[in-house]
Amino acid sequence: MDRIERLLGEMTLAEKLGQMTMVASGYAVTGPVIVGDSTESIRAGTLGNLLNMVGVGHVNEMQRLAVEESRLGIPLLIGLDIIHGHRTLFPIPLMQAAAFDAAAWERAAHEAATEACADGLALTFAPMLDVARDPRWGRSAEGAGEDPWLTARMAAAKVRGFQGASLDSAHALAACAKHFCAYGAMTAGRDYAAVDVSDRALREVYLPPFEAAVKAGVATLMPAFTDIAGVPMTAHRALLQGTLRGEWGFDGVVISDYNAIAELIRHGVAADLTDAAVLALKAGVDIDMMADAYRKGLPKALEQGRVTMAEIDTAVRRVLRLKQQLGLFDDPYRRGAQPEPTAVLAERHRFARAFAARCAVLLENRAKTLPLPANLQRLAVIGPLADADAEMRGPWWGAGEFAPHVGVLQGLRANLPGVELRHTVGVAVTGSEAGDDADDGKEDVQGGIALAAALCDDADAVILCLGESSTMSGEARCRAEPGLPGHQLELARAVIARAHTHGKRVVAILFSGRPLVIPWLAEQADAVLWAGFLGTEAGNALADLLVGRVSPSGRIAMTWPRSVGQIPLHYAQRSGGRPENPADHYTSQYLDMPNAPLYPFGHGLSYTHFSYANPRVTPQHVRRGDSCTARVEVTNDGACAARETVFLFIHDVVASVARPLLELKGAATVELEPGETRTVEIRVDAEALCFPGLDLRPTWEAGDVDVWLGPCADRMKLLKTTIQLQA
Ligand code: BGC
């Protein structure tokens, strides 16, 4: 009999339920305290999993209790949210997406896994695969943005990066695909709010990234807090048992979200904890994170005959199997056995810097404001996010709070040694934050702004660092007005007016975990560079871009609206019967603004200009099973080497179901020297041209499909060629 079956045979009910329970520990952060009676439970064998521990010493101490002092010696599974780095932080996922580079996504996950493993951890609650089309939602920061194709690519890359070739490696973390599913479609962009999406949207938009993670071998999955049409995901049998386990064959561990099983009561589908535990178990949730519903509710449910021991054993078996796959039974201390050599850390920081520079997006660059001229003598660096090293981390910093991070001012100091930098904050990030006026604890807004404007007078150029603080995005960080917070717009108006009076250029660097609604700034600043949150090396990477050592190449993975009223706004809209037409009143449009966004999906400038020519696709007559190759010639018409991302969108012209006007099916990046032309190739399998038909099954319909190639999701900037799908 194998180890798992033998253990199952020996385990008491309490021990089994312990394996199905995960609790948080404030151990390393707040001192040697684990919430409640956990230390005792670990010894008693009635707690099998922990989250939120930092520090290999503490991790090993807890592991020792489980392995040496509990009756059966089953090792603990210990997890943490390692979302965009552990100690070395990489750009937030929304910015990583902007690089359109699966190899870099994988590498960042692998580096994070290596650091986390050195801390003794074995599980991360990542990647987040929620397609996000509403910038009010703070968790937009955690995923790859609005597009299912892109999110699915990131899903596979992150799973490969975290898990590596084998889970039992000392550098591998079990990944967790979350939050299954359609969490990003919550009402009005408000976290945790109800979701009502069509089966078509599920099939086309929200499920594909999870299916990609399952195909890539993801070890665990987390249901979303939210419901779909009244069925909370934690109890969603059709999607968890039917689609996930049945259709896709996922046999890994399903871990509830934090306290989500107990929240079935608040949802109004369970009367008490026992009810909630029954619903979650029947839906196939194996581990109860933080609700303690399984330990408290399942003994009674079992007695009442509402669940069976076989159902409990199925969950326990999956948990034990994961621990075995992670190599925890053979050597529970394999992770964290060796500290990382300094050379590895230095190389990781080099990668973090280069990657961060690839993730920033140049939104505007009028009259070649950037790169900064080489003869610069004095630079005014203004704004609440200029000298804000810790803010560079972004919303999920893992164990990164213990590491130093490089802010803009620090980065400029290190990279522009001959330039005099003059800095003032101007205003606080949000108006409600404590300001500079120590007398009454309130911010002296007008004084701060006047000081900032005065700094422009004898500067050669102005860098204005604006946006959100790192904790204004992430979980439970929704904003009804996702513009510049506090008094920052006033600051920008004053600084830009003053600088322009003296003929000085203003570069705005924007920090945020979401697209910001900034129509005025976009028009008035001479250049706008979106940094999002770039992590540990942010300041160095931004300096590389500002001075032109690197040409920007990031592309937004989420549409930027010009007004909150346009939200939700994404590129993959369907035409409808009355598409926008300013000449025709009865068409789909606003009275007070165009439908077009401020920046479309894929937008992002560089320090050069690229032109496109000669788009073609072979074969032109496509049969199922074919592999198509699209080609387009791209020329760098400018004076510096740069990287261009080429997108391939399709539009199925006539189908049984109206199709989106553009659907992303491929992307490729190319680096071109000045004057160089190259033919960029993008391969697309014919199967990818199938779509959920009238019966929601993948269907292949003969007819014309337009293929659009070019730099972003704006038809005016794309070149079209048409292929024919054969019956
Ligand atoms: C979040 C999850 C996270 C979990 C554990 C929850 O509040 O929704 O994304 O993994 O906490 O920290």
Side-chain angles (χ1 to χ4, degrees):
M1 202 193 298
D2 75 2
R3 175 194 278 143
I4 291 173
E5 294 309 316
R6 200 189 63 239
L7 276 171
L8 264 173
E10 287 175 33
M11 289 167 90
T12 62
L13 176 62
E15 284 165 338
K16 288 179 182 175
L17 299 179
Q19 292 303 313
M20 296 166 66
T21 300
M22 176 178 275
V23 307
S25 126
Y27 194 87
V29 187
T30 57
V33 184
I34 290 193
V35 178
D37 68 341
S38 299
T39 312
E40 237 357 273
S41 313
I42 293 170
R43 279 203 187 91
T46 56
L47 175 60
N49 314 284
L50 291 176
L51 80 151
N52 290 355
M53 280 200 116
V54 177
V56 69
H58 307 302
V59 165
N60 284 349
E61 215 173 304
M62 289 303 110
Q63 196 59 285
R64 198 192 55 76
L65 289 183
V67 174
E68 292 177 24
E69 298 192 23
S70 76
R71 188 176 77 92
L72 296 171
I74 300 173
L76 296 169
L77 173 64
I78 305 179
L80 181 72
D81 291 272
I82 295 145
I83 310 292
H84 50 99
H86 183 56
R87 289 179 190 271
T88 307
L89 298 178
F90 302 104
I92 58 172
L94 185 59
M95 301 313 293
Q96 292 197 23
F100 284 86
D101 184 341
W105 299 333
E106 182 175 340
R107 165 109 190 250
H110 171 73
E111 299 291 342
T114 308
E115 278 189 354
C117 288
D119 260 347
L121 300 167
L123 166 70
T124 174
F125 306 110
M128 187 191 101
L129 305 177
D130 301 314
V131 169
R133 295 178 162 184
D134 192 327
R136 292 173 296 187
W137 192 40
R139 302 200 84 166
S140 305
E142 295 177 52
E146 74 184 46
D147 185 70
W149 180 88
L150 179 62
T151 309
R153 290 303 165 293
M154 192 185 271
K158 290 294 177 194
V159 171
R160 285 195 303 269
F162 285 128
Q163 298 192 168
S166 169
L167 276 180
D168 68 358
S169 149
H171 304 297
L173 284 180
C176 179
K178 73 185 190 184
H179 309 84
F180 186 77
C181 61
Y183 184 16
M186 83 261 90
T187 310
R190 225 172 44 241
D191 218 347
Y192 318 123
V195 172
D196 254 299
V197 287
S198 67
D199 287 344
R200 171 163 307 282
L202 277 180
R203 287 280 154 196
E204 289 192 22
V205 179
Y206 296 105
L207 287 173
F210 289 95
E211 191 175 7
V214 170
K215 278 200 182 126
V218 72
T220 79
L221 176 138
M222 183 186 287
F225 281 127
T226 31
D227 71 316
I228 296 181
V231 184
M233 281 312 305
T234 307
H236 208 302
R237 272 199 232 185
L239 282 166
L240 288 171
Q241 296 282 25
T243 306
L244 174 70
R245 294 210 191 272
E247 219 180 293
W248 300 345
F250 176 72
D251 199 25
V253 174
V254 173
I255 306 177
S256 85
D257 205 342
Y258 203 101
N259 197 40
I261 300 183
E263 288 165 21
L264 293 174
I265 300 170
R266 271 281 166 79
H267 272 286
V269 298
D272 53 27
L273 222 47
T274 304
D275 253 10
V278 171
L279 285 173
L281 184 69
K282 298 267 182 202
V285 176
D286 304 305
I287 293 183
D288 165 359
M289 181 197 283
M290 286 307 283
D292 221 356
Y294 281 175
R295 289 195 302 194
K296 289 184 178 144
L298 287 183
K300 192 161 149 208
L302 196 61
E303 231 174 71
Q304 295 170 339
R306 296 169 68 195
V307 298
T308 64
M309 192 60 95
E311 286 167 327
I312 291 174
D313 285 352
T314 301
V316 177
R317 201 174 275 119
R318 290 196 192 109
V319 177
L320 295 179
R321 197 174 52 220
L322 176 60
K323 293 184 178 187
Q324 179 159 288
Q325 287 165 343
L326 285 161
L328 291 169
F329 282 104
D330 299 330
D331 177 6
Y333 310 108
R334 65 175 42 190
R335 292 174 181 77
Q338 310 251 329
E340 290 199 280
T342 21
V344 170
L345 286 173
E347 181 47 36
R348 182 170 302 140
H349 277 244
R350 272 194 291 280
F351 166 68
R353 178 176 181 160
F355 186 31
R358 291 196 47 196
C359 296
V361 184
L362 185 62
L363 297 173
E364 298 285 351
N365 195 23
R366 297 193 170 86
K368 298 197 175 155
T369 295
L370 286 177
L372 295 171
N375 58 358
L376 208 67
Q377 289 181 344
R378 219 168 284 126
L379 200 54
V381 187
I382 296 170
L385 288 146
D387 190 13
D389 299 356
E391 295 296 341
M392 302 298 108
R393 297 177 304 192
W396 277 111
W397 52 75
E401 64 180 293
F402 306 111
H405 309 282
V406 184
V408 177
L409 200 58
Q410 205 191 322
L412 288 174
R413 272 197 199 108
N415 290 278
L416 289 175
V419 178
E420 186 189 333
L421 302 175
R422 297 198 177 165
H423 165 64
T424 185
V425 166
V427 298
V429 172
T430 62
S432 54
E433 272 178 13
D436 347 45
D437 190 338
D439 285 336
D440 59 2
K442 278 213 198 103
E443 189 182 3
D444 173 13
V445 175
Q446 294 318 320
I449 291 177
L451 215 62
L455 221 56
C456 302
D457 292 350
D458 56 359
D460 299 323
V462 180
I463 308 281
L464 196 48
C465 300
L466 304 174
E468 302 179 332
S469 61
S470 58
T471 50
M472 288 178 75
S473 57
E475 187 178 348
R477 304 282 153 80
C478 299
R479 298 183 62 209
E481 303 274 3
L484 287 177
H487 299 285
Q488 293 188 58
L489 191 55
E490 284 167 63
L491 172 69
R493 283 184 199 278
V495 165
I496 290 175
R498 184 78 152 253
H500 285 177
T501 325
H502 297 287
K504 311 285 170 59
R505 303 273 183 84
V506 178
V507 176
I509 302 183
L510 289 180
F511 295 86
S512 66
R514 50 163 66 80
L516 292 174
V517 179
I518 48 143
W520 184 87
L521 187 72
E523 230 168 68
Q524 300 301 323
D526 300 288
V528 181
L529 181 61
W530 185 35
F533 292 103
L534 295 174
T536 300
E537 290 288 333
N540 287 324
L542 288 168
D544 287 340
L545 293 165
L546 292 176
V547 304
R549 219 175 278 144
V550 179
S551 173
S553 61
R555 305 305 192 79
I556 51 175
M558 226 176 141
T559 303
W560 282 50
R562 27 178 114 240
S563 156
V564 173
Q566 294 178 309
I567 298 173
L569 184 63
H570 60 91
Y571 83 83
Q573 315 263 349
R574 293 189 293 267
S575 158
R578 295 184 174 196
E580 179 184 28
N581 177 4
D584 183 352
H585 180 76
Y586 290 99
T587 58
S588 178
Q589 58 200 347
Y590 300 106
L591 287 177
D592 48 358
M593 72 174 58
N595 292 358
L598 185 59
Y599 303 117
F601 174 90
H603 171 75
L605 306 172
S606 71
Y607 294 154
T608 186
H609 176 265
F610 295 97
S611 57
Y612 285 71
N614 204 8
R616 55 211 186 272
V617 179
T618 47
Q620 229 197 330
H621 300 278
V622 183
R623 295 181 188 284
R624 281 195 92 149
D626 279 352
S627 170
C628 306
T629 306
R631 293 185 175 84
V632 65
E633 284 158 26
V634 184
T635 303
N636 179 349
D637 299 319
C640 74
R643 181 184 276 113
E644 171 76 337
T645 297
V646 181
F647 295 100
L648 183 154
F649 298 98
I650 62 158
H651 174 230
D652 195 326
V653 184
V654 179
S656 56
V657 177
R659 304 302 302 148
L661 287 169
L662 291 175
E663 280 179 87
L664 185 64
K665 292 292 175 187
T669 55
V670 59
E671 283 185 64
L672 295 177
E673 294 298 321
E676 189 183 353
T677 298
R678 271 213 234 157
T679 301
V680 174
E681 287 189 7
I682 302 176
R683 271 201 31 212
V684 179
D685 287 338
E687 296 311 303
L689 306 174
C690 289
F691 59 88
L694 283 168
D695 60 358
L696 292 176
R697 299 229 175 88
T699 161
W700 173 269
E701 293 183 13
D704 284 359
V705 171
D706 291 338
V707 176
W708 295 84
L709 291 157
C712 66
D714 175 350
R715 279 191 174 211
M716 304 296 285
K717 297 188 173 147
L718 295 166
L719 298 180
K720 184 177 93 169
T721 171
T722 302
I723 56 176
Q724 284 89 42
L725 304 199
Q726 308 289 292

CSV table of all heavy atoms in Angstrom, one decimal, residues 375-400:
chain,number,residue,atom,x,y,z
A,375,ASN,N,22.5,67.5,-22.3
A,375,ASN,CA,23.2,68.6,-21.7
A,375,ASN,C,22.4,69.2,-20.5
A,375,ASN,O,22.6,70.4,-20.2
A,375,ASN,CB,23.3,69.7,-22.8
A,375,ASN,CG,22.0,70.1,-23.4
A,375,ASN,OD1,21.0,69.5,-23.0
A,375,ASN,ND2,22.0,71.1,-24.3
A,376,LEU,N,21.6,68.4,-20.0
A,376,LEU,CA,20.8,68.8,-18.8
A,376,LEU,C,21.6,69.2,-17.6
A,376,LEU,O,22.6,68.5,-17.3
A,376,LEU,CB,19.9,67.6,-18.4
A,376,LEU,CG,18.6,67.8,-17.8
A,376,LEU,CD1,17.6,68.5,-18.8
A,376,LEU,CD2,18.1,66.4,-17.4
A,377,GLN,N,21.3,70.4,-17.0
A,377,GLN,CA,22.1,70.7,-15.8
A,377,GLN,C,21.3,70.7,-14.5
A,377,GLN,O,21.8,70.3,-13.5
A,377,GLN,CB,22.7,72.1,-16.0
A,377,GLN,CG,23.8,72.1,-17.0
A,377,GLN,CD,24.4,73.5,-17.2
A,377,GLN,OE1,23.8,74.5,-16.8
A,377,GLN,NE2,25.5,73.5,-17.9
A,378,ARG,N,20.0,71.1,-14.6
A,378,ARG,CA,19.2,71.2,-13.4
A,378,ARG,C,17.8,70.5,-13.7
A,378,ARG,O,17.2,70.9,-14.7
A,378,ARG,CB,19.0,72.6,-13.0
A,378,ARG,CG,19.1,72.8,-11.6
A,378,ARG,CD,19.2,74.3,-11.2
A,378,ARG,NE,20.6,74.8,-11.4
A,378,ARG,CZ,20.8,75.9,-12.1
A,378,ARG,NH1,19.8,76.5,-12.7
A,378,ARG,NH2,22.0,76.3,-12.2
A,379,LEU,N,17.4,69.6,-12.9
A,379,LEU,CA,16.2,69.0,-13.1
A,379,LEU,C,15.3,69.2,-11.8
A,379,LEU,O,15.8,69.0,-10.7
A,379,LEU,CB,16.5,67.5,-13.2
A,379,LEU,CG,15.5,66.6,-13.9
A,379,LEU,CD1,15.1,67.1,-15.3
A,379,LEU,CD2,16.1,65.2,-14.1
A,380,ALA,N,14.1,69.6,-12.0
A,380,ALA,CA,13.1,69.7,-10.9
A,380,ALA,C,12.4,68.4,-10.8
A,380,ALA,O,11.8,67.9,-11.8
A,380,ALA,CB,12.2,70.8,-11.1
A,381,VAL,N,12.4,67.7,-9.7
A,381,VAL,CA,11.8,66.4,-9.5
A,381,VAL,C,10.7,66.6,-8.4
A,381,VAL,O,11.0,66.7,-7.2
A,381,VAL,CB,12.8,65.3,-9.1
A,381,VAL,CG1,12.1,64.0,-9.1
A,381,VAL,CG2,14.0,65.3,-10.0
A,382,ILE,N,9.4,66.7,-8.9
A,382,ILE,CA,8.3,67.1,-8.1
A,382,ILE,C,7.3,66.1,-7.9
A,382,ILE,O,7.1,65.3,-8.8
A,382,ILE,CB,7.7,68.4,-8.7
A,382,ILE,CG1,8.7,69.5,-8.8
A,382,ILE,CG2,6.5,68.8,-8.0
A,382,ILE,CD1,8.3,70.7,-9.6
A,383,GLY,N,6.7,66.1,-6.7
A,383,GLY,CA,5.5,65.2,-6.5
A,383,GLY,C,5.7,64.2,-5.4
A,383,GLY,O,6.8,63.9,-5.0
A,384,PRO,N,4.5,63.7,-4.9
A,384,PRO,CA,4.5,62.9,-3.7
A,384,PRO,C,5.1,61.5,-3.9
A,384,PRO,O,5.4,60.8,-3.0
A,384,PRO,CB,3.0,62.8,-3.3
A,384,PRO,CG,2.3,63.0,-4.6
A,384,PRO,CD,3.1,64.0,-5.4
A,385,LEU,N,5.3,61.1,-5.2
A,385,LEU,CA,5.9,59.8,-5.5
A,385,LEU,C,7.3,59.8,-6.0
A,385,LEU,O,7.8,58.9,-6.5
A,385,LEU,CB,4.9,59.0,-6.4
A,385,LEU,CG,3.6,58.6,-5.7
A,385,LEU,CD1,2.4,58.7,-6.5
A,385,LEU,CD2,3.8,57.3,-5.0
A,386,ALA,N,7.9,61.0,-5.9
A,386,ALA,CA,9.3,61.1,-6.4
A,386,ALA,C,10.3,60.5,-5.4
A,386,ALA,O,11.2,59.8,-5.9
A,386,ALA,CB,9.6,62.6,-6.6
A,387,ASP,N,10.1,60.8,-4.2
A,387,ASP,CA,11.1,60.3,-3.2
A,387,ASP,C,10.3,59.3,-2.3
A,387,ASP,O,10.1,59.5,-1.1
A,387,ASP,CB,11.6,61.5,-2.4
A,387,ASP,CG,12.7,61.0,-1.5
A,387,ASP,OD1,13.3,59.9,-1.7
A,387,ASP,OD2,13.1,61.8,-0.6
A,388,ALA,N,9.9,58.2,-2.9
A,388,ALA,CA,9.0,57.3,-2.2
A,388,ALA,C,9.4,55.8,-2.5
A,388,ALA,O,8.7,55.1,-3.1
A,388,ALA,CB,7.5,57.5,-2.7
A,389,ASP,N,10.6,55.5,-1.9
A,389,ASP,CA,11.1,54.2,-2.3
A,389,ASP,C,10.2,53.0,-1.9
A,389,ASP,O,10.0,52.1,-2.8
A,389,ASP,CB,12.5,54.0,-1.5
A,389,ASP,CG,13.5,55.0,-1.8
A,389,ASP,OD1,13.2,55.8,-2.7
A,389,ASP,OD2,14.6,55.0,-1.2
A,390,ALA,N,9.6,53.1,-0.8
A,390,ALA,CA,8.7,51.9,-0.4
A,390,ALA,C,7.5,51.8,-1.2
A,390,ALA,O,6.9,50.7,-1.4
A,390,ALA,CB,8.3,52.1,1.1
A,391,GLU,N,7.0,52.9,-1.8
A,391,GLU,CA,5.9,52.9,-2.7
A,391,GLU,C,6.1,52.1,-4.0
A,391,GLU,O,5.2,51.6,-4.6
A,391,GLU,CB,5.4,54.3,-3.1
A,391,GLU,CG,4.9,55.1,-1.9
A,391,GLU,CD,3.7,54.5,-1.3
A,391,GLU,OE1,3.0,53.7,-1.9
A,391,GLU,OE2,3.4,54.9,-0.1
A,392,MET,N,7.4,51.9,-4.3
A,392,MET,CA,7.7,51.2,-5.6
A,392,MET,C,7.3,49.8,-5.6
A,392,MET,O,7.2,49.1,-6.6
A,392,MET,CB,9.2,51.3,-5.9
A,392,MET,CG,9.7,52.8,-6.0
A,392,MET,SD,9.0,53.7,-7.3
A,392,MET,CE,7.9,54.8,-6.4
A,393,ARG,N,7.0,49.3,-4.3
A,393,ARG,CA,6.8,47.8,-4.2
A,393,ARG,C,5.5,47.4,-4.9
A,393,ARG,O,5.4,46.3,-5.4
A,393,ARG,CB,6.7,47.5,-2.7
A,393,ARG,CG,7.9,47.7,-1.9
A,393,ARG,CD,7.8,47.5,-0.5
A,393,ARG,NE,6.7,48.2,0.1
A,393,ARG,CZ,6.4,48.3,1.4
A,393,ARG,NH1,7.2,47.7,2.3
A,393,ARG,NH2,5.4,49.0,1.9
A,394,GLY,N,4.5,48.2,-4.8
A,394,GLY,CA,3.2,47.8,-5.3
A,394,GLY,C,2.4,47.1,-4.2
A,394,GLY,O,2.9,46.9,-3.1
A,395,PRO,N,1.2,46.6,-4.6
A,395,PRO,CA,0.3,46.2,-3.5
A,395,PRO,C,0.6,44.8,-2.9
A,395,PRO,O,0.1,44.6,-1.8
A,395,PRO,CB,-1.1,46.1,-4.3
A,395,PRO,CG,-0.7,46.1,-5.7
A,395,PRO,CD,0.6,46.8,-5.9
A,396,TRP,N,1.3,43.9,-3.5
A,396,TRP,CA,1.6,42.6,-2.8
A,396,TRP,C,3.1,42.5,-2.7
A,396,TRP,O,3.7,42.2,-3.7
A,396,TRP,CB,1.1,41.5,-3.6
A,396,TRP,CG,-0.3,41.1,-3.5
A,396,TRP,CD1,-1.3,41.2,-4.5
A,396,TRP,CD2,-1.0,40.5,-2.4
A,396,TRP,NE1,-2.5,40.7,-4.0
A,396,TRP,CE2,-2.3,40.2,-2.8
A,396,TRP,CE3,-0.6,40.1,-1.1
A,396,TRP,CZ2,-3.3,39.7,-1.9
A,396,TRP,CZ3,-1.5,39.5,-0.3
A,396,TRP,CH2,-2.8,39.3,-0.7
A,397,TRP,N,3.6,42.8,-1.6
A,397,TRP,CA,5.1,42.8,-1.5
A,397,TRP,C,5.7,41.6,-0.8
A,397,TRP,O,6.9,41.6,-0.5
A,397,TRP,CB,5.6,44.1,-0.9
A,397,TRP,CG,5.0,44.4,0.5
A,397,TRP,CD1,5.2,43.9,1.6
A,397,TRP,CD2,4.0,45.5,0.7
A,397,TRP,NE1,4.5,44.5,2.6
A,397,TRP,CE2,3.7,45.4,2.1
A,397,TRP,CE3,3.4,46.4,-0.1
A,397,TRP,CZ2,2.8,46.3,2.7
A,397,TRP,CZ3,2.5,47.3,0.5
A,397,TRP,CH2,2.2,47.2,1.8
A,398,GLY,N,4.9,40.5,-0.6
A,398,GLY,CA,5.5,39.3,0.0
A,398,GLY,C,6.3,39.6,1.2
A,398,GLY,O,5.9,40.2,2.1
A,399,ALA,N,7.6,39.2,1.1
A,399,ALA,CA,8.5,39.5,2.2
A,399,ALA,C,9.3,40.8,1.8
A,399,ALA,O,10.4,41.0,2.4
A,399,ALA,CB,9.4,38.3,2.4
A,400,GLY,N,8.9,41.5,0.8
A,400,GLY,CA,9.7,42.6,0.2
A,400,GLY,C,9.7,43.8,1.2
A,400,GLY,O,10.5,44.7,0.9
